[in-house]
Amino acid sequence: MVANPKRQALEKLSEYVSHKNQDLGFETNSATWDIARDIFQGSKGSEFSSAVNASDTWTGPLANTSAEDTKTDVDAVDTVFSDLLDQINAAITALPEELDESDPAANWPNESE
């Protein structure tokens, strides 16, 4: 038995994407964290949008609309990046950790498919 090279590559990708999400200020996936974050501090979009119509920045109906648009856009980006990590992790889970040496997948990416 040998380690599954495709799974190993996806594990490295998952770690990379997770670190990049954190660098951007987005949290890595955790249902518990998402619920707690929304209750106690709001979404990342709420955090960024709060500066748009802050009293020392800009106020008024257009500022409120711009703040809401910012919240929506930032939360959408957060969702895309979070979903990407979910899909990578689902692909990892679907692959076996080890393969028989005779399995063509053990030679990935040079397998013959």
Side-chain angles (χ1 to χ4, degrees), residues 20-32:
K20 289 299 178 181
N21 281 351
Q22 290 174 351
D23 289 347
L24 292 169
F26 299 125
E27 294 299 323
T28 54
N29 299 4
S30 167
T32 304

Side-chain angles (χ1 to χ4, degrees), residues 18-70:
S18 179
H19 286 302
K20 289 299 178 181
N21 281 351
Q22 290 174 351
D23 289 347
L24 292 169
F26 299 125
E27 294 299 323
T28 54
N29 299 4
S30 167
T32 304
W33 170 254
D34 289 342
I35 292 167
R37 179 187 67 187
D38 289 343
I39 291 171
F40 296 113
Q41 76 181 54
S43 67
K44 197 50 122 169
S46 295
E47 180 182 332
F48 284 112
S49 69
S50 66
V52 173
N53 61 346
S55 61
D56 61 342
T57 307
W58 180 32
T59 60
L62 184 56
N64 294 340
T65 300
S66 294
E68 188 57 36
D69 291 345
T70 299

